[in-house]
Amino acid sequence: MPPETPSHAAGRLDDDDYPAYTMGRAAEMIGATPGFLRAIGEARLITPLRSEGGHRRYSRYQLRIAARARELVDGGTPVEAACRIVILEDQLEEALRLNEELRGRAD
């Protein structure tokens, strides 16, 4: 990630896809451990961007996905299964959104 000026970076904080959070902060925000974030990364649920120094950086969107996976794991679902469930939920939400958009165009 190229360095940004403070004013440009501050403007991006409203962007759900901007990788603003370090692994430690991201884990703290969702009440998980860095190991949990690494595990869901290995399961390919989320792929954090890397800073120039190689550190993982997470977006708000990724944190919402990780928080949902954590809820499932806390309920007893294995990590791999939780990741698959979250992926399917995300795909269903997108399909429903597209379906609604297409219905709106047809009307």
Side-chain angles (χ1 to χ4, degrees):
M1 250 174 4
E4 298 186 60
T5 62
S7 62
H8 187 257
R12 304 259 337 243
L13 292 177
D14 290 334
D15 181 352
D16 260 5
D17 295 319
Y18 181 68
Y21 304 100
T22 62
M23 176 180 274
R25 179 71 179 124
E28 180 182 308
M29 289 173 72
I30 66 166
T33 64
F36 176 78
L37 290 174
R38 281 191 290 276
I40 63 173
E42 289 171 10
R44 297 182 145 178
L45 178 60
I46 58 175
T47 304
L49 291 177
R50 298 281 183 150
S51 68
E52 287 184 26
H55 300 282
R56 292 172 179 90
R57 305 284 295 193
Y58 298 88
S59 69
R60 288 190 305 191
Y61 173 75
Q62 289 173 323
L63 293 183
R64 282 195 302 275
I65 296 291
R68 175 63 181 132
R70 186 183 153 268
E71 288 175 14
L72 292 167
V73 169
D74 287 351
T77 305
V79 171
E80 296 80 15
C83 290
R84 186 68 184 139
I85 290 167
V86 172
I87 289 167
L88 292 170
E89 287 175 343
D90 199 47
Q91 289 173 344
L92 176 59
E93 184 178 312
E94 178 66 9
L96 291 172
R97 185 192 65 74
L98 288 171
N99 196 13
E100 189 63 32
E101 184 180 307
L102 291 173
R103 280 190 187 138
R105 287 182 190 170
D107 290 340

PDB file of all heavy atoms in Angstrom, residues 36 39-41 43-46 64-90:
ATOM      1  N   PHE A  36      -7.486 -16.080  15.572  1.00  0.00           N
ATOM      2  CA  PHE A  36      -8.773 -16.300  14.908  1.00  0.00           C
ATOM      3  C   PHE A  36      -8.770 -15.628  13.540  1.00  0.00           C
ATOM      4  O   PHE A  36      -9.205 -16.220  12.552  1.00  0.00           O
ATOM      5  CB  PHE A  36      -9.924 -15.764  15.771  1.00  0.00           C
ATOM      6  CG  PHE A  36     -11.259 -15.869  15.094  1.00  0.00           C
ATOM      7  CD1 PHE A  36     -11.923 -17.082  15.041  1.00  0.00           C
ATOM      8  CD2 PHE A  36     -11.845 -14.770  14.497  1.00  0.00           C
ATOM      9  CE1 PHE A  36     -13.152 -17.196  14.400  1.00  0.00           C
ATOM     10  CE2 PHE A  36     -13.063 -14.867  13.858  1.00  0.00           C
ATOM     11  CZ  PHE A  36     -13.729 -16.086  13.805  1.00  0.00           C
ATOM     12  N   ALA A  39      -6.815 -17.670  11.229  1.00  0.00           N
ATOM     13  CA  ALA A  39      -7.527 -18.901  10.869  1.00  0.00           C
ATOM     14  C   ALA A  39      -8.573 -18.650   9.789  1.00  0.00           C
ATOM     15  O   ALA A  39      -8.688 -19.429   8.831  1.00  0.00           O
ATOM     16  CB  ALA A  39      -8.179 -19.517  12.104  1.00  0.00           C
ATOM     17  N   ILE A  40      -9.338 -17.570   9.912  1.00  0.00           N
ATOM     18  CA  ILE A  40     -10.348 -17.313   8.877  1.00  0.00           C
ATOM     19  C   ILE A  40      -9.702 -16.808   7.594  1.00  0.00           C
ATOM     20  O   ILE A  40     -10.266 -16.975   6.521  1.00  0.00           O
ATOM     21  CB  ILE A  40     -11.485 -16.382   9.362  1.00  0.00           C
ATOM     22  CG1 ILE A  40     -10.973 -14.997   9.718  1.00  0.00           C
ATOM     23  CG2 ILE A  40     -12.242 -17.019  10.523  1.00  0.00           C
ATOM     24  CD1 ILE A  40     -12.075 -13.995  10.046  1.00  0.00           C
ATOM     25  N   GLY A  41      -8.513 -16.248   7.710  1.00  0.00           N
ATOM     26  CA  GLY A  41      -7.748 -15.902   6.505  1.00  0.00           C
ATOM     27  C   GLY A  41      -7.274 -17.152   5.792  1.00  0.00           C
ATOM     28  O   GLY A  41      -7.354 -17.253   4.566  1.00  0.00           O
ATOM     29  N   ALA A  43      -8.705 -19.990   5.945  1.00  0.00           N
ATOM     30  CA  ALA A  43      -9.909 -20.627   5.391  1.00  0.00           C
ATOM     31  C   ALA A  43     -10.466 -19.842   4.208  1.00  0.00           C
ATOM     32  O   ALA A  43     -11.484 -20.224   3.640  1.00  0.00           O
ATOM     33  CB  ALA A  43     -10.969 -20.762   6.484  1.00  0.00           C
ATOM     34  N   ARG A  44      -9.816 -18.751   3.858  1.00  0.00           N
ATOM     35  CA  ARG A  44     -10.153 -17.903   2.713  1.00  0.00           C
ATOM     36  C   ARG A  44     -11.488 -17.183   2.845  1.00  0.00           C
ATOM     37  O   ARG A  44     -12.133 -16.870   1.855  1.00  0.00           O
ATOM     38  CB  ARG A  44     -10.109 -18.687   1.418  1.00  0.00           C
ATOM     39  CG  ARG A  44      -8.743 -19.214   1.123  1.00  0.00           C
ATOM     40  CD  ARG A  44      -8.733 -19.929  -0.165  1.00  0.00           C
ATOM     41  NE  ARG A  44      -7.427 -19.687  -0.794  1.00  0.00           N
ATOM     42  CZ  ARG A  44      -7.068 -20.196  -1.922  1.00  0.00           C
ATOM     43  NH1 ARG A  44      -7.894 -20.954  -2.595  1.00  0.00           N
ATOM     44  NH2 ARG A  44      -5.885 -19.939  -2.424  1.00  0.00           N
ATOM     45  N   LEU A  45     -11.898 -16.919   4.093  1.00  0.00           N
ATOM     46  CA  LEU A  45     -13.098 -16.125   4.292  1.00  0.00           C
ATOM     47  C   LEU A  45     -12.808 -14.669   3.973  1.00  0.00           C
ATOM     48  O   LEU A  45     -13.586 -14.005   3.297  1.00  0.00           O
ATOM     49  CB  LEU A  45     -13.611 -16.264   5.727  1.00  0.00           C
ATOM     50  CG  LEU A  45     -14.839 -15.428   6.063  1.00  0.00           C
ATOM     51  CD1 LEU A  45     -16.024 -15.814   5.166  1.00  0.00           C
ATOM     52  CD2 LEU A  45     -15.211 -15.587   7.522  1.00  0.00           C
ATOM     53  N   ILE A  46     -11.700 -14.186   4.467  1.00  0.00           N
ATOM     54  CA  ILE A  46     -11.264 -12.821   4.169  1.00  0.00           C
ATOM     55  C   ILE A  46      -9.781 -12.851   3.811  1.00  0.00           C
ATOM     56  O   ILE A  46      -9.050 -13.734   4.259  1.00  0.00           O
ATOM     57  CB  ILE A  46     -11.493 -11.841   5.348  1.00  0.00           C
ATOM     58  CG1 ILE A  46     -10.777 -12.316   6.605  1.00  0.00           C
ATOM     59  CG2 ILE A  46     -12.972 -11.639   5.609  1.00  0.00           C
ATOM     60  CD1 ILE A  46     -10.848 -11.348   7.767  1.00  0.00           C
ATOM     61  N   ARG A  64     -16.897  -6.955   9.647  1.00  0.00           N
ATOM     62  CA  ARG A  64     -18.282  -7.437   9.787  1.00  0.00           C
ATOM     63  C   ARG A  64     -18.365  -8.929   9.457  1.00  0.00           C
ATOM     64  O   ARG A  64     -19.037  -9.700  10.148  1.00  0.00           O
ATOM     65  CB  ARG A  64     -19.235  -6.640   8.888  1.00  0.00           C
ATOM     66  CG  ARG A  64     -19.593  -5.281   9.446  1.00  0.00           C
ATOM     67  CD  ARG A  64     -20.796  -4.674   8.740  1.00  0.00           C
ATOM     68  NE  ARG A  64     -20.622  -4.522   7.309  1.00  0.00           N
ATOM     69  CZ  ARG A  64     -20.028  -3.489   6.727  1.00  0.00           C
ATOM     70  NH1 ARG A  64     -19.540  -2.510   7.441  1.00  0.00           N
ATOM     71  NH2 ARG A  64     -19.939  -3.429   5.412  1.00  0.00           N
ATOM     72  N   ILE A  65     -17.668  -9.332   8.412  1.00  0.00           N
ATOM     73  CA  ILE A  65     -17.643 -10.747   8.013  1.00  0.00           C
ATOM     74  C   ILE A  65     -16.985 -11.577   9.118  1.00  0.00           C
ATOM     75  O   ILE A  65     -17.492 -12.638   9.509  1.00  0.00           O
ATOM     76  CB  ILE A  65     -16.876 -10.916   6.674  1.00  0.00           C
ATOM     77  CG1 ILE A  65     -17.603 -10.193   5.533  1.00  0.00           C
ATOM     78  CG2 ILE A  65     -16.621 -12.376   6.354  1.00  0.00           C
ATOM     79  CD1 ILE A  65     -18.906 -10.800   5.124  1.00  0.00           C
ATOM     80  N   ALA A  66     -15.861 -11.091   9.642  1.00  0.00           N
ATOM     81  CA  ALA A  66     -15.150 -11.812  10.701  1.00  0.00           C
ATOM     82  C   ALA A  66     -15.993 -11.908  11.969  1.00  0.00           C
ATOM     83  O   ALA A  66     -15.998 -12.951  12.637  1.00  0.00           O
ATOM     84  CB  ALA A  66     -13.819 -11.116  10.996  1.00  0.00           C
ATOM     85  N   ALA A  67     -16.714 -10.846  12.295  1.00  0.00           N
ATOM     86  CA  ALA A  67     -17.569 -10.854  13.493  1.00  0.00           C
ATOM     87  C   ALA A  67     -18.673 -11.887  13.357  1.00  0.00           C
ATOM     88  O   ALA A  67     -19.013 -12.583  14.330  1.00  0.00           O
ATOM     89  CB  ALA A  67     -18.145  -9.461  13.739  1.00  0.00           C
ATOM     90  N   ARG A  68     -19.246 -12.019  12.176  1.00  0.00           N
ATOM     91  CA  ARG A  68     -20.296 -13.021  11.950  1.00  0.00           C
ATOM     92  C   ARG A  68     -19.719 -14.429  12.111  1.00  0.00           C
ATOM     93  O   ARG A  68     -20.327 -15.299  12.741  1.00  0.00           O
ATOM     94  CB  ARG A  68     -20.922 -12.844  10.563  1.00  0.00           C
ATOM     95  CG  ARG A  68     -21.929 -13.901  10.199  1.00  0.00           C
ATOM     96  CD  ARG A  68     -23.148 -13.891  11.120  1.00  0.00           C
ATOM     97  NE  ARG A  68     -24.071 -14.956  10.724  1.00  0.00           N
ATOM     98  CZ  ARG A  68     -24.628 -15.818  11.569  1.00  0.00           C
ATOM     99  NH1 ARG A  68     -24.429 -15.702  12.859  1.00  0.00           N
ATOM    100  NH2 ARG A  68     -25.422 -16.764  11.122  1.00  0.00           N
ATOM    101  N   ALA A  69     -18.526 -14.656  11.568  1.00  0.00           N
ATOM    102  CA  ALA A  69     -17.878 -15.958  11.717  1.00  0.00           C
ATOM    103  C   ALA A  69     -17.600 -16.246  13.192  1.00  0.00           C
ATOM    104  O   ALA A  69     -17.805 -17.368  13.664  1.00  0.00           O
ATOM    105  CB  ALA A  69     -16.584 -16.007  10.908  1.00  0.00           C
ATOM    106  N   ARG A  70     -17.180 -15.240  13.921  1.00  0.00           N
ATOM    107  CA  ARG A  70     -16.913 -15.411  15.352  1.00  0.00           C
ATOM    108  C   ARG A  70     -18.184 -15.805  16.104  1.00  0.00           C
ATOM    109  O   ARG A  70     -18.153 -16.662  16.985  1.00  0.00           O
ATOM    110  CB  ARG A  70     -16.326 -14.141  15.938  1.00  0.00           C
ATOM    111  CG  ARG A  70     -15.902 -14.309  17.365  1.00  0.00           C
ATOM    112  CD  ARG A  70     -15.370 -13.009  17.964  1.00  0.00           C
ATOM    113  NE  ARG A  70     -15.613 -13.085  19.380  1.00  0.00           N
ATOM    114  CZ  ARG A  70     -16.693 -12.630  20.007  1.00  0.00           C
ATOM    115  NH1 ARG A  70     -17.638 -12.036  19.341  1.00  0.00           N
ATOM    116  NH2 ARG A  70     -16.833 -12.748  21.304  1.00  0.00           N
ATOM    117  N   GLU A  71     -19.322 -15.195  15.755  1.00  0.00           N
ATOM    118  CA  GLU A  71     -20.598 -15.553  16.389  1.00  0.00           C
ATOM    119  C   GLU A  71     -20.879 -17.045  16.198  1.00  0.00           C
ATOM    120  O   GLU A  71     -21.303 -17.727  17.139  1.00  0.00           O
ATOM    121  CB  GLU A  71     -21.757 -14.769  15.772  1.00  0.00           C
ATOM    122  CG  GLU A  71     -21.819 -13.314  16.128  1.00  0.00           C
ATOM    123  CD  GLU A  71     -22.928 -12.597  15.358  1.00  0.00           C
ATOM    124  OE1 GLU A  71     -23.806 -13.274  14.757  1.00  0.00           O
ATOM    125  OE2 GLU A  71     -22.919 -11.365  15.337  1.00  0.00           O
ATOM    126  N   LEU A  72     -20.680 -17.521  14.984  1.00  0.00           N
ATOM    127  CA  LEU A  72     -20.943 -18.929  14.685  1.00  0.00           C
ATOM    128  C   LEU A  72     -19.986 -19.849  15.442  1.00  0.00           C
ATOM    129  O   LEU A  72     -20.399 -20.870  16.002  1.00  0.00           O
ATOM    130  CB  LEU A  72     -20.853 -19.180  13.179  1.00  0.00           C
ATOM    131  CG  LEU A  72     -21.959 -18.533  12.341  1.00  0.00           C
ATOM    132  CD1 LEU A  72     -21.605 -18.577  10.869  1.00  0.00           C
ATOM    133  CD2 LEU A  72     -23.294 -19.208  12.602  1.00  0.00           C
ATOM    134  N   VAL A  73     -18.713 -19.479  15.468  1.00  0.00           N
ATOM    135  CA  VAL A  73     -17.715 -20.289  16.173  1.00  0.00           C
ATOM    136  C   VAL A  73     -18.011 -20.296  17.673  1.00  0.00           C
ATOM    137  O   VAL A  73     -17.934 -21.343  18.323  1.00  0.00           O
ATOM    138  CB  VAL A  73     -16.289 -19.773  15.876  1.00  0.00           C
ATOM    139  CG1 VAL A  73     -15.262 -20.411  16.806  1.00  0.00           C
ATOM    140  CG2 VAL A  73     -15.927 -20.038  14.415  1.00  0.00           C
ATOM    141  N   ASP A  74     -18.392 -19.143  18.207  1.00  0.00           N
ATOM    142  CA  ASP A  74     -18.739 -19.078  19.632  1.00  0.00           C
ATOM    143  C   ASP A  74     -19.948 -19.959  19.946  1.00  0.00           C
ATOM    144  O   ASP A  74     -20.092 -20.437  21.068  1.00  0.00           O
ATOM    145  CB  ASP A  74     -19.032 -17.637  20.062  1.00  0.00           C
ATOM    146  CG  ASP A  74     -17.777 -16.786  20.162  1.00  0.00           C
ATOM    147  OD1 ASP A  74     -16.660 -17.334  20.069  1.00  0.00           O
ATOM    148  OD2 ASP A  74     -17.916 -15.558  20.332  1.00  0.00           O
ATOM    149  N   GLY A  75     -20.793 -20.193  18.951  1.00  0.00           N
ATOM    150  CA  GLY A  75     -21.958 -21.057  19.117  1.00  0.00           C
ATOM    151  C   GLY A  75     -21.655 -22.530  18.915  1.00  0.00           C
ATOM    152  O   GLY A  75     -22.558 -23.362  18.950  1.00  0.00           O
ATOM    153  N   GLY A  76     -20.393 -22.856  18.641  1.00  0.00           N
ATOM    154  CA  GLY A  76     -19.998 -24.255  18.517  1.00  0.00           C
ATOM    155  C   GLY A  76     -19.737 -24.745  17.105  1.00  0.00           C
ATOM    156  O   GLY A  76     -19.425 -25.917  16.903  1.00  0.00           O
ATOM    157  N   THR A  77     -19.872 -23.885  16.120  1.00  0.00           N
ATOM    158  CA  THR A  77     -19.616 -24.273  14.729  1.00  0.00           C
ATOM    159  C   THR A  77     -18.109 -24.289  14.474  1.00  0.00           C
ATOM    160  O   THR A  77     -17.417 -23.342  14.836  1.00  0.00           O
ATOM    161  CB  THR A  77     -20.291 -23.276  13.766  1.00  0.00           C
ATOM    162  OG1 THR A  77     -21.674 -23.183  14.093  1.00  0.00           O
ATOM    163  CG2 THR A  77     -20.130 -23.689  12.321  1.00  0.00           C
ATOM    164  N   PRO A  78     -17.574 -25.344  13.850  1.00  0.00           N
ATOM    165  CA  PRO A  78     -16.145 -25.356  13.507  1.00  0.00           C
ATOM    166  C   PRO A  78     -15.802 -24.186  12.574  1.00  0.00           C
ATOM    167  O   PRO A  78     -16.637 -23.731  11.784  1.00  0.00           O
ATOM    168  CB  PRO A  78     -15.961 -26.691  12.780  1.00  0.00           C
ATOM    169  CG  PRO A  78     -17.113 -27.531  13.220  1.00  0.00           C
ATOM    170  CD  PRO A  78     -18.250 -26.583  13.469  1.00  0.00           C
ATOM    171  N   VAL A  79     -14.569 -23.696  12.666  1.00  0.00           N
ATOM    172  CA  VAL A  79     -14.142 -22.525  11.896  1.00  0.00           C
ATOM    173  C   VAL A  79     -14.400 -22.699  10.404  1.00  0.00           C
ATOM    174  O   VAL A  79     -14.943 -21.799   9.759  1.00  0.00           O
ATOM    175  CB  VAL A  79     -12.652 -22.204  12.153  1.00  0.00           C
ATOM    176  CG1 VAL A  79     -12.145 -21.140  11.194  1.00  0.00           C
ATOM    177  CG2 VAL A  79     -12.438 -21.751  13.585  1.00  0.00           C
ATOM    178  N   GLU A  80     -14.031 -23.835   9.844  1.00  0.00           N
ATOM    179  CA  GLU A  80     -14.193 -24.043   8.401  1.00  0.00           C
ATOM    180  C   GLU A  80     -15.662 -23.980   8.006  1.00  0.00           C
ATOM    181  O   GLU A  80     -16.019 -23.379   6.983  1.00  0.00           O
ATOM    182  CB  GLU A  80     -13.586 -25.372   7.958  1.00  0.00           C
ATOM    183  CG  GLU A  80     -12.089 -25.471   8.136  1.00  0.00           C
ATOM    184  CD  GLU A  80     -11.670 -25.796   9.580  1.00  0.00           C
ATOM    185  OE1 GLU A  80     -12.537 -26.226  10.387  1.00  0.00           O
ATOM    186  OE2 GLU A  80     -10.494 -25.586   9.895  1.00  0.00           O
ATOM    187  N   ALA A  81     -16.528 -24.593   8.813  1.00  0.00           N
ATOM    188  CA  ALA A  81     -17.964 -24.565   8.527  1.00  0.00           C
ATOM    189  C   ALA A  81     -18.525 -23.158   8.694  1.00  0.00           C
ATOM    190  O   ALA A  81     -19.350 -22.714   7.886  1.00  0.00           O
ATOM    191  CB  ALA A  81     -18.708 -25.541   9.433  1.00  0.00           C
ATOM    192  N   ALA A  82     -18.070 -22.445   9.714  1.00  0.00           N
ATOM    193  CA  ALA A  82     -18.526 -21.074   9.929  1.00  0.00           C
ATOM    194  C   ALA A  82     -18.156 -20.202   8.736  1.00  0.00           C
ATOM    195  O   ALA A  82     -18.963 -19.390   8.279  1.00  0.00           O
ATOM    196  CB  ALA A  82     -17.926 -20.511  11.222  1.00  0.00           C
ATOM    197  N   CYS A  83     -16.962 -20.386   8.229  1.00  0.00           N
ATOM    198  CA  CYS A  83     -16.528 -19.598   7.073  1.00  0.00           C
ATOM    199  C   CYS A  83     -17.398 -19.894   5.858  1.00  0.00           C
ATOM    200  O   CYS A  83     -17.803 -18.978   5.138  1.00  0.00           O
ATOM    201  CB  CYS A  83     -15.050 -19.875   6.770  1.00  0.00           C
ATOM    202  SG  CYS A  83     -13.931 -19.203   8.008  1.00  0.00           S
ATOM    203  N   ARG A  84     -17.714 -21.155   5.641  1.00  0.00           N
ATOM    204  CA  ARG A  84     -18.568 -21.524   4.499  1.00  0.00           C
ATOM    205  C   ARG A  84     -19.966 -20.935   4.653  1.00  0.00           C
ATOM    206  O   ARG A  84     -20.544 -20.429   3.694  1.00  0.00           O
ATOM    207  CB  ARG A  84     -18.634 -23.056   4.368  1.00  0.00           C
ATOM    208  CG  ARG A  84     -19.370 -23.507   3.151  1.00  0.00           C
ATOM    209  CD  ARG A  84     -18.594 -23.149   1.894  1.00  0.00           C
ATOM    210  NE  ARG A  84     -19.392 -23.512   0.741  1.00  0.00           N
ATOM    211  CZ  ARG A  84     -19.505 -22.774  -0.350  1.00  0.00           C
ATOM    212  NH1 ARG A  84     -18.844 -21.653  -0.473  1.00  0.00           N
ATOM    213  NH2 ARG A  84     -20.258 -23.154  -1.338  1.00  0.00           N
ATOM    214  N   ILE A  85     -20.510 -20.984   5.873  1.00  0.00           N
ATOM    215  CA  ILE A  85     -21.834 -20.404   6.135  1.00  0.00           C
ATOM    216  C   ILE A  85     -21.832 -18.918   5.838  1.00  0.00           C
ATOM    217  O   ILE A  85     -22.743 -18.399   5.171  1.00  0.00           O
ATOM    218  CB  ILE A  85     -22.270 -20.684   7.582  1.00  0.00           C
ATOM    219  CG1 ILE A  85     -22.590 -22.171   7.767  1.00  0.00           C
ATOM    220  CG2 ILE A  85     -23.467 -19.813   7.977  1.00  0.00           C
ATOM    221  CD1 ILE A  85     -22.727 -22.605   9.221  1.00  0.00           C
ATOM    222  N   VAL A  86     -20.801 -18.220   6.300  1.00  0.00           N
ATOM    223  CA  VAL A  86     -20.735 -16.764   6.091  1.00  0.00           C
ATOM    224  C   VAL A  86     -20.613 -16.443   4.606  1.00  0.00           C
ATOM    225  O   VAL A  86     -21.250 -15.513   4.105  1.00  0.00           O
ATOM    226  CB  VAL A  86     -19.581 -16.140   6.904  1.00  0.00           C
ATOM    227  CG1 VAL A  86     -19.377 -14.681   6.547  1.00  0.00           C
ATOM    228  CG2 VAL A  86     -19.849 -16.297   8.399  1.00  0.00           C
ATOM    229  N   ILE A  87     -19.834 -17.223   3.879  1.00  0.00           N
ATOM    230  CA  ILE A  87     -19.707 -17.016   2.428  1.00  0.00           C
ATOM    231  C   ILE A  87     -21.066 -17.193   1.755  1.00  0.00           C
ATOM    232  O   ILE A  87     -21.477 -16.370   0.921  1.00  0.00           O
ATOM    233  CB  ILE A  87     -18.654 -17.978   1.828  1.00  0.00           C
ATOM    234  CG1 ILE A  87     -17.254 -17.554   2.255  1.00  0.00           C
ATOM    235  CG2 ILE A  87     -18.773 -18.036   0.306  1.00  0.00           C
ATOM    236  CD1 ILE A  87     -16.175 -18.593   1.980  1.00  0.00           C
ATOM    237  N   LEU A  88     -21.782 -18.246   2.117  1.00  0.00           N
ATOM    238  CA  LEU A  88     -23.100 -18.486   1.527  1.00  0.00           C
ATOM    239  C   LEU A  88     -24.098 -17.393   1.904  1.00  0.00           C
ATOM    240  O   LEU A  88     -24.898 -16.961   1.068  1.00  0.00           O
ATOM    241  CB  LEU A  88     -23.620 -19.863   1.924  1.00  0.00           C
ATOM    242  CG  LEU A  88     -22.857 -21.043   1.324  1.00  0.00           C
ATOM    243  CD1 LEU A  88     -23.291 -22.348   1.973  1.00  0.00           C
ATOM    244  CD2 LEU A  88     -23.041 -21.085  -0.183  1.00  0.00           C
ATOM    245  N   GLU A  89     -24.062 -16.931   3.145  1.00  0.00           N
ATOM    246  CA  GLU A  89     -24.939 -15.834   3.557  1.00  0.00           C
ATOM    247  C   GLU A  89     -24.652 -14.571   2.746  1.00  0.00           C
ATOM    248  O   GLU A  89     -25.574 -13.879   2.299  1.00  0.00           O
ATOM    249  CB  GLU A  89     -24.755 -15.523   5.047  1.00  0.00           C
ATOM    250  CG  GLU A  89     -25.330 -16.539   5.973  1.00  0.00           C
ATOM    251  CD  GLU A  89     -25.025 -16.261   7.438  1.00  0.00           C
ATOM    252  OE1 GLU A  89     -24.101 -15.469   7.749  1.00  0.00           O
ATOM    253  OE2 GLU A  89     -25.724 -16.851   8.282  1.00  0.00           O
ATOM    254  N   ASP A  90     -23.374 -14.288   2.537  1.00  0.00           N
ATOM    255  CA  ASP A  90     -22.975 -13.108   1.771  1.00  0.00           C
ATOM    256  C   ASP A  90     -23.430 -13.234   0.317  1.00  0.00           C
ATOM    257  O   ASP A  90     -23.934 -12.279  -0.275  1.00  0.00           O
ATOM    258  CB  ASP A  90     -21.456 -12.925   1.869  1.00  0.00           C
ATOM    259  CG  ASP A  90     -21.008 -11.528   1.505  1.00  0.00           C
ATOM    260  OD1 ASP A  90     -21.613 -10.549   1.988  1.00  0.00           O
ATOM    261  OD2 ASP A  90     -20.039 -11.415   0.717  1.00  0.00           O
TER     262      ASP A  90
END
